[in-house]
Amino acid sequence: MAKATQPTIALIYDFDGTLASGNMQEFGFIQATGLTATEFWTKNSEVSKEQDASEILCYMKLMIDEAKHAKVQLTRKSFQSFGAKVELFKGVQEWFDLINQYGKEKGVKIEHYINSSGLAEMVEGTSIARKFKKIYASSFLYDVHGVAEWPAVAVDFTAKTQFLFMINKGIENIKDNKQVNNYKPEDERPIPFDHMIYFGDGETDIPCMKLVKQQGGNSIAVYQPRNSKKKATAEKLINEQRVNCVCAADYSKDSEMYKVVTAIIDKIKSDDELNKIKLSHSTKAIK
C-alpha cells in the first residue's frame, strides 16, 4: 500500500489535568451526590486499597452507588450535562482550529484523539467533543431504561498504551482486540509513532509518554499554571527522560505550548520530505 502524499500527525491528549483543570467528576456530578470532592476520592482510595482493586473500576462503581443513594439517574444525557460544566484550560477552545490551520498551511493533516481514564460520556458533553477523531476513554453499560449499571470500558495505564497501537494501525473499535494484535507492516500503518505528539500530566500517562518518545515521537508533560507541585511532577518526568518537553497548560497562540507543538510539526514535515527524497534516490539507484 502506498503511503499518502500528505503526512498525518496525531495529537493525543489525556483529559483531566491536561485539557481540563481538574477531575471531570468534580464539575457537577460529585456535588449532585451531596459529597465533597475530598470525600468522594477518599472513599475511592479506601475501597481500592482494601480490595486491592483498580482505582478506575472503583471510581466507576462508586459513581453508580452514590448516584443511587442520592437518587440521581446516570444516563448518557446526564453525563453529558455534567461534562458541559467542565472547565477547560486557557486557549483549549481555540486550540484545535488553530493547530489544524497551521497543519494545513504546512501541508500536513492533523488528527486529535482523547486517551483518558475519565469518562467518554462526559467528554462527549464538552464543547470540544467534536474536535476529536476518536475518544478513547472509560465508559458505562446501560440497562433497558438507559441508566448506567456497569463499566463497559475501564481505561488504566495499560489500556492507554493499547489505544496508541490502535491509532498507529488505524483501528477505531475498542472491541477489536484481534485486529490490534495482527501484524501490519510499518509502511502500511496510517500514523507512525514518530508522527505522534502525546500530552499528559499524570501517572496513568507515563507508559504512553515513554512509549511515544522511545518510538521517535514526542511527549509533552503538561502542568497546571501557577501550581508548583504539578510543575515539579512534570519536571521530574523530563529529568527521568520520560518526556521530550514540559509545558504549562496554556494553549493560546502566544504560549510555549503552541511554539513547541508547531516546531514539532515543522520537524515531522521536513523529515517526511527528506525521506521521500531519499526514497526517490534509492529507487533510481535500483533502476
Side-chain angles (χ1 to χ4, degrees), residues 22-63:
N23 294 314
M24 60 180 69
Q25 296 83 358
E26 297 169 11
F27 294 94
F29 168 75
I30 290 178
Q31 291 84 344
T33 66
L35 297 174
T36 66
T38 300
E39 289 170 336
F40 180 86
W41 295 117
T42 298
K43 277 189 175 187
N44 189 67
S45 294
E46 288 173 350
V47 171
S48 175
K49 185 175 180 180
E50 289 169 4
Q51 301 288 337
D52 193 21
S54 160
E55 287 193 348
I56 311 302
L57 284 167
C58 286
Y59 94 64
M60 296 178 77
K61 181 180 187 301
L62 186 58
M63 289 184 78

Side-chain angles (χ1 to χ4, degrees), residues 33-221:
T33 66
L35 297 174
T36 66
T38 300
E39 289 170 336
F40 180 86
W41 295 117
T42 298
K43 277 189 175 187
N44 189 67
S45 294
E46 288 173 350
V47 171
S48 175
K49 185 175 180 180
E50 289 169 4
Q51 301 288 337
D52 193 21
S54 160
E55 287 193 348
I56 311 302
L57 284 167
C58 286
Y59 94 64
M60 296 178 77
K61 181 180 187 301
L62 186 58
M63 289 184 78
I64 292 175
D65 291 345
E66 293 298 333
K68 287 180 180 177
H69 183 262
K71 294 182 171 53
V72 175
Q73 277 207 331
L74 287 185
T75 62
R76 187 175 293 275
K77 186 175 180 180
S78 65
F79 276 125
Q80 290 175 351
S81 69
F82 292 133
K85 300 176 183 178
V86 171
E87 296 176 5
L88 303 171
F89 282 123
K90 180 182 178 182
V92 169
Q93 292 280 5
E94 300 78 28
W95 171 258
F96 306 97
D97 291 341
L98 194 65
I99 291 299
N100 290 348
Q101 180 59 36
Y102 188 85
K104 184 177 180 180
E105 292 170 0
K106 293 293 179 177
V108 302
K109 181 182 179 183
I110 305 292
E111 292 180 352
H112 305 274
Y113 296 85
I114 285 291
N115 191 10
S116 171
S117 295
L119 295 174
E121 293 91 335
M122 290 188 71
V123 177
E124 290 167 1
T126 66
S127 58
I128 58 174
R130 293 184 179 181
K131 303 298 183 182
F132 304 106
K133 181 173 182 180
K134 179 70 178 180
I135 297 171
Y136 295 103
S138 302
S139 60
F140 284 99
L141 292 175
Y142 296 85
D143 64 19
V144 293
H145 304 291
V147 178
E149 64 174 355
W150 196 260
V153 178
V155 179
D156 59 10
F157 62 90
T158 304
K160 281 191 169 188
T161 57
Q162 176 185 331
F163 294 145
L164 292 183
F165 283 97
M166 294 181 82
I167 294 169
N168 172 238
K169 294 183 176 182
I171 303 166
E172 293 190 19
N173 294 325
I174 290 176
K175 69 178 185 298
D176 200 344
N177 291 322
K178 183 177 180 181
Q179 193 175 350
V180 76
N181 289 316
N182 284 345
Y183 172 74
K184 192 169 190 176
E186 293 291 337
D187 61 355
E188 293 183 12
R189 300 186 184 195
I191 305 180
F193 278 96
D194 59 6
H195 286 200
M196 293 183 184
I197 307 174
Y198 192 92
F199 304 74
D201 78 305
E203 290 184 359
T204 60
D205 297 305
I206 291 174
C208 286
M209 293 190 287
K210 182 71 172 180
L211 174 62
V212 169
K213 182 175 180 289
Q214 285 179 329
Q215 296 296 319
N218 286 271
S219 295
I220 301 173

